[in-house]
């Protein structure tokens, strides 16, 4: 393989083309002056202008951002506490770990139906923001637990013991020693939870009520009724750009905090 680097580069190029060609086409068509999606006649931002003039889009965007922020905050707090709880040995820890990871493999259709029946029919939560928040926390929590727990499992307990020997209380040791070390994982988990909530269509479609349509559900409904229009293409492009920007920011922040934490971690080879 080393004698044929061009072959490896060609395969990598084909894979990248397969992954990103549809997104590149989406971005190119969103600036097309024509309403036709198959014939580019010139560059224009008219579809973005019409998009921001649509009150339904702005309302859906505001609801989606509020929902994603609330879901990420709740999921991050509960998921981080659960990850620290699973750090200690106790009877049934394996079962708790399995139960917390199970939503990762449950189909979203099944999860949506189950949450619709439980939240609305049994708990009496009306369709809308409350039901959507409960659903998004339910499927985002597992991702936060997995991400934070991988970092918590690698912590050196001798650092906390050293802080305690120097007179730090458990709360001070957690705030000044433990939390800075796990902060990159917590930030990554929060970013995952935000993006999962921001992009969700299947589960949200079951729990959306009157006046509480999220942006992905709005896009799906418009595309189903009227086909793929230039406005929907422009909106989809903005969603891809926002998701990519958040993901890149999260990766850069996690890398920066990880590099900073290496200055306080001991050399385990010594």
């Amino acid at each position: 393989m080393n004698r044929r680097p061009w072959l490896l580069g060609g395969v990598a190029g084909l894979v990248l083309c397969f992954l990103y060609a549809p997104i590149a086409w989406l971005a190119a068509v969103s600036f097309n002056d024509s309403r036709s999606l198959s014939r580019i006649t010139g560059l224009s931002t008219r579809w973005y202008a019409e998009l921001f003039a649509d009150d339904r889009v702005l309302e859906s965007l505001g609801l989606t951002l509020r929902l994603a922020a609330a879901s990420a905050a709740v999921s991050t707090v509960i998921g981080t506490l659960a990850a620290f709880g699973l750090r200690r040995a106790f009877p049934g820890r394996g079962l708790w770990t399995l139960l917390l990871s199970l939503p990762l493999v449950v189909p979203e259709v099944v999860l949506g139906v189950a949450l619709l029946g439980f939240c609305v029919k049994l708990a009496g939560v009306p369709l809308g923001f409350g039901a959507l928040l409960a659903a998004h926390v339910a499927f985002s929590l597992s991702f936060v637990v997995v991400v934070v727990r991988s970092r918590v499992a690698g912590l050196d307990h001798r650092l906390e013991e050293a802080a305690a020997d120097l007179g730090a209380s458990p709360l001070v040791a957690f705030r000044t020693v433990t939390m800075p070390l796990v902060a990159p994982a917590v930030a990554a988990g929060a970013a995952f939870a935000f993006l999962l909530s921001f992009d969700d269509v299947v589960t949200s479609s079951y729990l959306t009520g009157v006046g509480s349509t999220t942006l992905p559900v709005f896009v799906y409904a418009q595309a189903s009724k009227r086909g793929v229009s230039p406005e929907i293409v422009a909106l989809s492009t903005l969603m891809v750009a926002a998701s990519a920007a958040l993901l890149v920011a999260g990766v850069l922040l996690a890398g920066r905090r990880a590099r900073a934490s290496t200055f306080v971690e001991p050399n385990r080879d010594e």
Side-chain angles (χ1 to χ4, degrees):
M1 184 63 72
N2 293 333
R3 297 178 180 178
R4 298 179 179 178
W6 57 269
L7 180 59
L8 180 60
V11 173
L14 289 176
V15 172
L16 291 176
C17 184
F18 174 76
L19 290 175
Y20 294 106
I23 298 176
W25 172 84
L26 190 76
V29 172
S30 68
F31 291 99
N32 186 17
D33 186 53
S34 172
R35 179 167 286 276
S36 173
L37 300 180
S38 59
R39 185 170 55 90
I40 296 179
T41 59
L43 295 178
S44 174
T45 58
R46 57 180 292 195
W47 309 119
Y48 288 95
E50 293 186 9
L51 192 64
F52 285 109
D54 192 336
D55 292 336
R56 298 174 302 170
V57 174
L58 299 179
E59 291 175 1
S60 298
L61 176 61
L63 172 67
T64 304
L65 291 175
R66 294 196 303 272
L67 179 62
S71 174
V74 176
S75 300
T76 302
V77 172
I78 299 177
T80 301
L81 293 176
F84 276 99
L86 293 174
R87 183 186 184 188
R88 300 181 181 279
F90 60 87
R93 186 176 67 169
L95 178 60
W96 277 104
T97 303
L98 177 63
L99 292 176
L100 285 171
S101 304
L102 196 58
L104 294 174
V105 296
V106 174
E108 286 192 68
V109 174
V110 177
L111 188 62
V113 172
L115 290 169
L116 175 65
F118 181 80
C119 293
V120 179
K121 304 299 181 183
L122 294 180
V125 179
L127 291 174
F129 190 87
L132 287 169
L133 178 60
H136 286 207
V137 170
F139 65 71
S140 300
L141 181 61
S142 299
F143 287 89
V144 177
V145 172
V146 170
V147 173
V148 177
R149 190 176 178 229
S150 63
R151 179 58 177 164
V152 170
L155 287 180
D156 191 341
H157 63 87
R158 291 174 298 181
L159 294 174
E160 297 168 305
E161 293 175 355
D165 292 340
L166 293 173
S169 65
L171 181 59
V172 172
F174 178 81
R175 180 173 58 83
T176 59
V177 177
T178 306
M179 198 59 200
L181 294 176
V182 300
V186 174
F192 268 122
F194 186 92
L195 289 176
L196 287 170
S197 175
F198 187 81
D199 294 335
D200 181 71
V201 177
V202 179
T203 305
S204 298
S205 63
Y206 286 92
L207 301 168
T208 296
V210 178
S212 60
T213 303
T214 61
L215 193 59
V217 174
F218 175 80
V219 172
Y220 179 75
Q222 293 296 313
S224 300
K225 293 177 181 177
R226 305 176 180 177
V228 181
S229 63
E231 295 89 346
I232 295 301
V233 171
L235 181 56
S236 301
T237 303
L238 289 178
M239 292 177 65
V240 171
S243 300
L246 182 60
L247 182 61
V248 171
V251 171
L252 292 177
L253 178 62
R256 182 179 179 182
R257 297 300 298 267
R259 287 193 297 272
S261 65
T262 57
F263 292 103
V264 298
E265 288 185 337
N267 187 352
R268 298 186 180 185
D269 296 334
E270 293 179 354

